[in-house]
Amino acid sequence: YIKDYPNLQKYWNDQIANNISVDGKIYGIYRDRPLARKGVIFRQDWLDNLGLQQPEKVDDLYTIAKAFTLDDPDKNGKNDTFGLSLSDDNLMTDTTVVIETAMGGFNQWGVKDGKVTPDFMTDEYMEALKLLRKMYEEKLLNQDFGAVKGTKLQDNINQGKAGLYISSIDDANAKHSDLFKLNPEAKIDFVLGLEGPSGDKLPANSGYSGVFMFPKSSVKTEEDLKQILTYFDKNMDPEVLKLFAFGVEGVHYKTENGNPVFTNEQLWKDQVDTLSQLRIAPSDLTFPTESDVMKKVKQLYKDNVPNAVPSVIEPFISPTNSEIGAELVKVINDARVKFIMGDIDEAGFAKATEEWRKQGGDKIIDEFTQAYNSVQK
């Protein structure tokens, strides 16, 4: 039916549709979220002070981090800065996977020698760890990263201590008000995707937040289904997106210089806000007062969809992984931190990998491989 609805056809992405599939079949329409989102955020004013270009390749992360550590990027005459801000949770969810995908590796899971394989059993993963180990040894990243979690990642940037980090690029818009209070002249910029042997690559997110389904118990006829799909198609019209975002003009907002301005935000919250859960795509509307940062974020989201590397296990379930995967992965995460800090070598990391395999990892690999192979054509 999708082809009969112009907005649905335009929004439809086969990769995201595959991610919501069950046994190779698609049972609904997804609530769209940015697929290509993770990149490098940095102090542009520090780059300007040092005459450096924005990062384009993985090697640039090291070069810039070193300059930010040794070359007084804030020009205060003190040796009080470092390059990369890192935290334990960010290392796991963002930093390692951004570096390894740029190097041509997996986004968490891929196919190697006919088997679905975790990234930590690949050469690209080890190369990413070696880079971070080198940066740790040279004190180009915060030495306490293994004990740091959450917003402390951005605190290093906001306090003027560090110059770059790896995260969702929309953090550039939302997480640095404290920096601009401290230093109104500071500039933040970002790139999405780094160049490697296969061109610009970055890890793909799942691309959705929930799925709308249409069971025959409640959607009884084909005509009922078409009526519902007409609703979802129409809710991506610009005027309807504006209605979701601001409500009714003259009731919830007024227009000033082309910009919607709330006149009764509480009424909007009471009458409009929760209805946005019935949207299937985030608004990509832009207005004159929207920040240049968010305009750039939205454009990079679109431009980099072809460069986003999916995790091959996204549509599949491994019963063993569901049961013990979260506990098992702690073995790898602990080894990752120890390797970067120099407490273990490659042999020590290989030993942790073997432990993961023996405690259930091999079974997880087999289950994912079987599920993956079952839907290949």
Side-chain angles (χ1 to χ4, degrees), residues 116-298:
V116 173
T117 305
D119 58 356
F120 53 82
M121 292 171 62
T122 66
D123 292 340
E124 291 85 359
Y125 185 93
M126 180 50 63
E127 289 304 308
L129 290 194
K130 285 180 180 177
L131 173 62
L132 292 169
R133 180 178 177 130
K134 181 180 182 182
M135 293 170 74
Y136 179 85
E137 288 171 351
E138 297 181 21
K139 295 183 169 55
L140 309 186
L141 58 83
N142 49 304
Q143 303 291 285
D144 64 349
F145 77 91
V148 172
K149 292 185 184 299
T151 58
K152 289 190 176 180
L153 176 75
Q154 286 89 15
D155 287 348
N156 287 324
I157 305 293
N158 292 339
Q159 293 166 10
K161 297 176 181 177
L164 70 134
Y165 68 107
I166 295 173
S167 186
S168 298
I169 59 170
D170 43 301
D171 285 356
N173 185 63
K175 300 289 181 70
H176 297 295
S177 57
D178 288 345
L179 170 64
F180 299 122
K181 289 176 186 174
L182 180 70
N183 181 0
E185 302 301 313
K187 296 178 183 175
I188 291 284
D189 209 345
F190 47 90
V191 295
L192 191 59
L194 294 169
E195 184 184 338
S198 304
D200 287 352
K201 295 295 177 186
L202 69 155
N205 287 355
S206 64
Y208 70 96
S209 176
V211 180
F212 284 108
M213 297 185 179
F214 314 99
K216 287 185 178 180
S217 58
S218 53
V219 184
K220 297 184 184 300
T221 67
E222 186 178 13
E223 197 55 42
D224 290 340
L225 176 62
K226 288 182 176 180
Q227 191 174 7
I228 293 169
L229 291 177
T230 298
Y231 160 78
F232 284 113
D233 188 68
K234 290 292 184 187
N235 89 19
M236 287 186 284
D237 283 348
E239 285 305 310
V240 180
L241 286 173
K242 191 175 179 181
L243 188 69
F244 276 125
F246 298 102
V248 178
E249 187 167 11
V251 178
H252 306 100
Y253 77 94
K254 62 182 178 180
T255 301
E256 292 182 354
N257 301 319
N259 299 295
V261 179
F262 282 120
T263 54
N264 193 329
E265 193 165 357
Q266 186 58 52
L267 191 64
W268 171 82
K269 288 178 180 178
D270 293 342
Q271 297 181 344
V272 182
D273 186 23
T274 54
L275 294 177
S276 65
Q277 299 301 320
L278 293 174
R279 284 196 341 226
I280 56 172
S283 173
D284 61 358
L285 298 175
T286 58
F287 298 97
T289 55
E290 185 171 39
S291 70
D292 290 339
V293 171
M294 279 313 297
K295 288 176 184 175
K296 181 178 177 180
V297 164
K298 289 178 180 180

Side-chain angles (χ1 to χ4, degrees), residues 23 44 67 84 100 106 165 192 334 352:
D23 297 331
Q44 180 61 45
L84 179 69
E100 67 179 308
F106 296 159
Y165 68 107
L192 191 59
D334 288 347

